[in-house]
Every structure is written in structure tokens, then in C-alpha cells.
Amino acid sequence: MPSFDIVSEIKKDEVQNAVDNASRELQTRYDFRGSDAKFEFVKADLIVKLEADEDFQIQQMNDILLSKLIKRNIEVTAAKFSDITRSGKKSVETVEFLQGIDKELGKKIIKEIKDAKIKVDAKMYDDSVRVTGKKRDDLQAVIALIKSKDFKQPLQYNNFRD
């Protein structure tokens, strides 16, 4: 029976490369000369920490990071920016990357599939949704349906089996 998985994954290496490129650009920018602005990447948690002297520098660093993520084909909807906090003489912001499908999002996806009345079965497994059906065309219809909806998180479709 044909099946596929709906997942939400981010390539950690690509995020690392984007952060490295943003750090390199930060060092060459004239408006950041003499400041202690920096990007810090925690690979295990997929979190980027932005540190600068002023709030407006953090906002500029956001733009730099977003442009580098786009160049690396990482969907910016996966990046969740926290509020800018002031810690002593530094302004700090963390950017967390959403990965995996949580239970709420999984329920929304399954509900959308069931409401479309396509003859497939969708079930939640760990951090993915498995969709199975008798016809390959039904599975392709589900992929088209999910792509047309906005779930505010990038979704990929893999493990397609005939």
C-alpha cells in the first residue's frame, strides 16, 4: 500500500553555514566596527544567539541572518525570533528553529486531510504524520492539499513508497 511521511526538518549544517556567513559579514561591516556584536550557534538545540551593544544592531543582525538563511534555502518560517532583552550592557536575542511536528500541528494536518474526504489514512508517529492510501493519485492529492494550506512551519514530504 503506497505511503509517505509529512515531516518538518531543518538541515543543521546549512544553518551552521548561514550563521558562519552572517558572522563573516558582521566582521566586515563598517557600522559594526568596534562593537562586540556576535552570532553564537548551539547546534544541539538549533538555537542562534545574537549579542550586540544596542537594540538597533540586533535588528540589523536579524536582517543579515535572514538573508543568509534564504541564500542557504532554509525557510525563514522555521525561525522563531524571541524578544530582544537587555542584559547589562548587552542586548540579546535568541532565534529558535522549529523542527518536528508537535501534536497540535499533527492534529491540524490530520483534520485537514479528513475534511478533504480523500480516501487515505493519516496517523501521527513521533514527530511525523504517516499518510497511507490505496492509490498513488490520492497521496499526491494530499500533498497538493497540504502545500496549499499555511501551517506556519515548513513541511517536507519524504519516504514515498509505492
Side-chain angles (χ1 to χ4, degrees), residues 65-96:
L65 181 63
L66 287 175
S67 71
K68 299 304 177 188
L69 290 173
I70 290 169
K71 284 183 182 177
R72 286 279 175 191
N73 293 325
I74 298 169
E75 292 193 41
V76 293
T77 55
K80 182 181 171 189
F81 291 87
S82 69
D83 292 330
I84 299 172
T85 57
R86 194 83 178 143
S87 174
K89 293 183 178 181
K90 295 276 185 192
S91 293
V92 178
E93 181 181 31
T94 57
V95 181
E96 184 180 352

Short mmCIF file of all heavy atoms in Angstrom, two decimals, residues 65-96:
data_model
loop_
_atom_site.label_atom_id
_atom_site.label_comp_id
_atom_site.label_asym_id
_atom_site.label_seq_id
_atom_site.Cartn_x
_atom_site.Cartn_y
_atom_site.Cartn_z
N LEU A 65 21.09 37.73 9.18
CA LEU A 65 20.85 36.30 9.36
C LEU A 65 19.77 35.79 8.42
O LEU A 65 19.93 34.74 7.79
CB LEU A 65 20.48 36.00 10.82
CG LEU A 65 20.24 34.53 11.16
CD1 LEU A 65 21.50 33.71 10.95
CD2 LEU A 65 19.75 34.39 12.59
N LEU A 66 18.68 36.54 8.29
CA LEU A 66 17.60 36.12 7.40
C LEU A 66 18.07 36.02 5.95
O LEU A 66 17.72 35.08 5.24
CB LEU A 66 16.41 37.06 7.51
CG LEU A 66 15.58 36.94 8.79
CD1 LEU A 66 14.50 38.01 8.84
CD2 LEU A 66 14.96 35.56 8.91
N SER A 67 18.87 36.99 5.51
CA SER A 67 19.36 36.94 4.13
C SER A 67 20.26 35.73 3.91
O SER A 67 20.21 35.09 2.85
CB SER A 67 20.08 38.23 3.77
OG SER A 67 21.32 38.32 4.45
N LYS A 68 21.07 35.39 4.89
CA LYS A 68 21.96 34.24 4.76
C LYS A 68 21.16 32.92 4.80
O LYS A 68 21.51 31.96 4.12
CB LYS A 68 23.03 34.23 5.86
CG LYS A 68 23.93 35.44 5.84
CD LYS A 68 24.61 35.63 4.52
CE LYS A 68 25.44 36.90 4.51
NZ LYS A 68 25.98 37.23 3.21
N LEU A 69 20.10 32.88 5.60
CA LEU A 69 19.25 31.68 5.63
C LEU A 69 18.56 31.49 4.29
O LEU A 69 18.46 30.36 3.79
CB LEU A 69 18.20 31.80 6.74
CG LEU A 69 18.71 31.71 8.18
CD1 LEU A 69 17.59 32.03 9.15
CD2 LEU A 69 19.29 30.35 8.47
N ILE A 70 18.09 32.57 3.69
CA ILE A 70 17.43 32.48 2.39
C ILE A 70 18.41 31.99 1.32
O ILE A 70 18.06 31.13 0.50
CB ILE A 70 16.82 33.84 2.00
CG1 ILE A 70 15.63 34.14 2.91
CG2 ILE A 70 16.40 33.86 0.54
CD1 ILE A 70 15.12 35.57 2.82
N LYS A 71 19.64 32.48 1.36
CA LYS A 71 20.65 32.04 0.38
C LYS A 71 20.96 30.55 0.53
O LYS A 71 21.34 29.89 -0.42
CB LYS A 71 21.93 32.85 0.53
CG LYS A 71 21.83 34.23 -0.06
CD LYS A 71 23.14 34.96 0.04
CE LYS A 71 22.99 36.37 -0.52
NZ LYS A 71 24.23 37.14 -0.37
N ARG A 72 20.80 30.02 1.73
CA ARG A 72 21.08 28.62 2.01
C ARG A 72 19.83 27.73 1.85
O ARG A 72 19.83 26.58 2.25
CB ARG A 72 21.61 28.46 3.44
CG ARG A 72 23.02 28.93 3.59
CD ARG A 72 23.90 27.85 3.11
NE ARG A 72 25.29 28.25 3.10
CZ ARG A 72 26.21 27.54 2.51
NH1 ARG A 72 25.89 26.43 1.91
NH2 ARG A 72 27.45 27.94 2.51
N ASN A 73 18.76 28.29 1.30
CA ASN A 73 17.50 27.57 1.07
C ASN A 73 16.88 27.00 2.34
O ASN A 73 16.32 25.91 2.35
CB ASN A 73 17.67 26.45 0.04
CG ASN A 73 17.99 26.98 -1.33
OD1 ASN A 73 17.48 28.04 -1.72
ND2 ASN A 73 18.82 26.28 -2.07
N ILE A 74 16.99 27.76 3.42
CA ILE A 74 16.32 27.40 4.67
C ILE A 74 15.10 28.31 4.78
O ILE A 74 15.22 29.53 4.69
CB ILE A 74 17.25 27.60 5.88
CG1 ILE A 74 18.47 26.70 5.75
CG2 ILE A 74 16.52 27.31 7.17
CD1 ILE A 74 19.56 27.00 6.73
N GLU A 75 13.94 27.70 4.96
CA GLU A 75 12.72 28.50 5.04
C GLU A 75 12.73 29.33 6.32
O GLU A 75 12.93 28.81 7.40
CB GLU A 75 11.50 27.61 4.98
CG GLU A 75 11.33 26.93 3.64
CD GLU A 75 9.97 26.30 3.48
OE1 GLU A 75 8.97 26.91 3.90
OE2 GLU A 75 9.93 25.19 2.95
N VAL A 76 12.49 30.63 6.17
CA VAL A 76 12.55 31.53 7.31
C VAL A 76 11.35 31.35 8.24
O VAL A 76 11.37 31.83 9.37
CB VAL A 76 12.69 33.00 6.88
CG1 VAL A 76 14.03 33.23 6.21
CG2 VAL A 76 11.57 33.43 5.96
N THR A 77 10.32 30.66 7.78
CA THR A 77 9.18 30.39 8.66
C THR A 77 9.56 29.42 9.77
O THR A 77 8.85 29.32 10.77
CB THR A 77 7.98 29.82 7.87
OG1 THR A 77 8.42 28.66 7.15
CG2 THR A 77 7.43 30.84 6.91
N ALA A 78 10.68 28.74 9.61
CA ALA A 78 11.16 27.83 10.65
C ALA A 78 11.85 28.57 11.79
O ALA A 78 12.03 28.03 12.87
CB ALA A 78 12.11 26.80 10.06
N ALA A 79 12.24 29.82 11.55
CA ALA A 79 12.95 30.61 12.56
C ALA A 79 11.94 31.34 13.44
O ALA A 79 11.07 32.05 12.96
CB ALA A 79 13.88 31.61 11.90
N LYS A 80 12.08 31.14 14.74
CA LYS A 80 11.20 31.80 15.72
C LYS A 80 12.05 32.76 16.54
O LYS A 80 12.88 32.35 17.35
CB LYS A 80 10.55 30.74 16.62
CG LYS A 80 9.60 31.28 17.62
CD LYS A 80 9.04 30.15 18.48
CE LYS A 80 8.27 30.70 19.63
NZ LYS A 80 7.91 29.64 20.59
N PHE A 81 11.83 34.06 16.32
CA PHE A 81 12.63 35.09 16.99
C PHE A 81 12.00 35.43 18.34
O PHE A 81 10.80 35.68 18.43
CB PHE A 81 12.69 36.35 16.13
CG PHE A 81 13.50 36.19 14.88
CD1 PHE A 81 12.93 35.69 13.73
CD2 PHE A 81 14.84 36.51 14.88
CE1 PHE A 81 13.68 35.53 12.58
CE2 PHE A 81 15.60 36.37 13.73
CZ PHE A 81 15.02 35.86 12.58
N SER A 82 12.83 35.47 19.37
CA SER A 82 12.33 35.88 20.69
C SER A 82 12.41 37.40 20.80
O SER A 82 12.92 38.07 19.91
CB SER A 82 13.16 35.22 21.80
OG SER A 82 14.47 35.78 21.80
N ASP A 83 11.93 37.93 21.90
CA ASP A 83 12.02 39.36 22.13
C ASP A 83 13.47 39.74 22.48
O ASP A 83 14.20 38.94 23.06
CB ASP A 83 11.10 39.80 23.28
CG ASP A 83 9.63 39.65 22.91
OD1 ASP A 83 9.30 39.77 21.71
OD2 ASP A 83 8.82 39.41 23.81
N ILE A 84 13.83 40.97 22.15
CA ILE A 84 15.17 41.46 22.47
C ILE A 84 15.19 41.82 23.96
O ILE A 84 14.35 42.57 24.43
CB ILE A 84 15.52 42.69 21.61
CG1 ILE A 84 15.50 42.32 20.13
CG2 ILE A 84 16.88 43.25 22.00
CD1 ILE A 84 15.66 43.50 19.20
N THR A 85 16.14 41.26 24.69
CA THR A 85 16.27 41.54 26.11
C THR A 85 17.58 42.28 26.36
O THR A 85 18.56 42.09 25.65
CB THR A 85 16.24 40.25 26.95
OG1 THR A 85 17.29 39.38 26.51
CG2 THR A 85 14.91 39.54 26.83
N ARG A 86 17.57 43.08 27.38
CA ARG A 86 18.75 43.85 27.75
C ARG A 86 19.40 43.14 28.94
O ARG A 86 18.76 42.90 29.97
CB ARG A 86 18.30 45.27 28.13
CG ARG A 86 19.38 46.25 28.23
CD ARG A 86 19.74 46.80 26.85
NE ARG A 86 20.79 47.79 27.06
CZ ARG A 86 21.78 47.97 26.24
NH1 ARG A 86 21.87 47.30 25.14
NH2 ARG A 86 22.70 48.87 26.51
N SER A 87 20.67 42.81 28.83
CA SER A 87 21.40 42.13 29.89
C SER A 87 22.67 42.92 30.17
O SER A 87 23.68 42.76 29.50
CB SER A 87 21.73 40.71 29.45
OG SER A 87 22.55 40.08 30.40
N GLY A 88 22.60 43.80 31.16
CA GLY A 88 23.74 44.65 31.46
C GLY A 88 23.98 45.64 30.34
O GLY A 88 23.11 46.43 30.00
N LYS A 89 25.15 45.59 29.73
CA LYS A 89 25.48 46.49 28.63
C LYS A 89 25.15 45.88 27.27
O LYS A 89 25.39 46.50 26.24
CB LYS A 89 26.96 46.84 28.67
CG LYS A 89 27.35 47.68 29.85
CD LYS A 89 28.81 48.03 29.79
CE LYS A 89 29.21 48.92 30.95
NZ LYS A 89 30.62 49.29 30.88
N LYS A 90 24.63 44.68 27.25
CA LYS A 90 24.38 43.96 26.00
C LYS A 90 22.89 43.78 25.74
O LYS A 90 22.10 43.64 26.67
CB LYS A 90 25.02 42.57 26.07
CG LYS A 90 26.50 42.56 26.16
CD LYS A 90 27.09 42.67 24.80
CE LYS A 90 28.60 42.54 24.89
NZ LYS A 90 29.21 42.92 23.66
N SER A 91 22.54 43.76 24.47
CA SER A 91 21.22 43.35 24.03
C SER A 91 21.34 41.94 23.47
O SER A 91 22.28 41.64 22.73
CB SER A 91 20.68 44.28 22.95
OG SER A 91 20.45 45.56 23.47
N VAL A 92 20.40 41.08 23.84
CA VAL A 92 20.47 39.67 23.46
C VAL A 92 19.13 39.24 22.86
O VAL A 92 18.07 39.62 23.35
CB VAL A 92 20.81 38.79 24.69
CG1 VAL A 92 20.85 37.32 24.32
CG2 VAL A 92 22.11 39.22 25.33
N GLU A 93 19.23 38.44 21.81
CA GLU A 93 18.03 37.84 21.22
C GLU A 93 18.37 36.41 20.82
O GLU A 93 19.49 36.13 20.39
CB GLU A 93 17.59 38.62 19.98
CG GLU A 93 16.35 38.06 19.33
CD GLU A 93 15.94 38.81 18.10
OE1 GLU A 93 16.81 39.36 17.39
OE2 GLU A 93 14.74 38.85 17.83
N THR A 94 17.42 35.51 20.99
CA THR A 94 17.63 34.13 20.57
C THR A 94 16.69 33.80 19.42
O THR A 94 15.55 34.26 19.39
CB THR A 94 17.40 33.13 21.72
OG1 THR A 94 16.09 33.31 22.23
CG2 THR A 94 18.41 33.31 22.82
N VAL A 95 17.20 33.02 18.48
CA VAL A 95 16.42 32.55 17.35
C VAL A 95 16.38 31.03 17.44
O VAL A 95 17.42 30.37 17.41
CB VAL A 95 17.05 32.97 16.01
CG1 VAL A 95 16.20 32.49 14.84
CG2 VAL A 95 17.25 34.47 15.95
N GLU A 96 15.18 30.50 17.59
CA GLU A 96 15.00 29.05 17.70
C GLU A 96 14.41 28.54 16.40
O GLU A 96 13.53 29.17 15.81
CB GLU A 96 14.05 28.75 18.86
CG GLU A 96 13.84 27.30 19.13
CD GLU A 96 12.89 27.06 20.29
OE1 GLU A 96 12.50 28.02 20.97
OE2 GLU A 96 12.52 25.90 20.49
#
